[in-house]
Amino acid sequence: MGAIAVTALIALFAVGLVLGLVVLATFAVAGAKAATLAQDGGSWVLEHWPRRAKH
């Protein structure tokens, strides 16, 4: 019975570790996309805002 419990705990730990890595990777990708979008949006505002301000 003890061996089964230990095996179950190790399996749960492994699954949790994998899920954690997946979540971290998802956040990393989302963060990179958000940073890219923010840079694009910032440069777009810098390029277009003076023209709008003149009008």
Side-chain angles (χ1 to χ4, degrees), residues 39-55:
Q39 284 180 345
D40 290 348
S43 60
W44 186 89
V45 168
L46 284 175
E47 287 172 8
H48 292 277
W49 189 255
R51 293 181 195 165
R52 287 188 178 181
K54 286 176 187 174
H55 296 303

Side-chain angles (χ1 to χ4, degrees), residues 5-55:
V6 170
T7 305
L9 282 174
I10 291 172
L12 281 173
F13 176 74
V15 170
L17 196 65
V18 170
L19 282 175
L21 286 172
V22 169
V23 169
L24 280 176
T26 305
F27 274 118
V29 171
K33 282 185 181 176
T36 306
L37 283 173
Q39 284 180 345
D40 290 348
S43 60
W44 186 89
V45 168
L46 284 175
E47 287 172 8
H48 292 277
W49 189 255
R51 293 181 195 165
R52 287 188 178 181
K54 286 176 187 174
H55 296 303

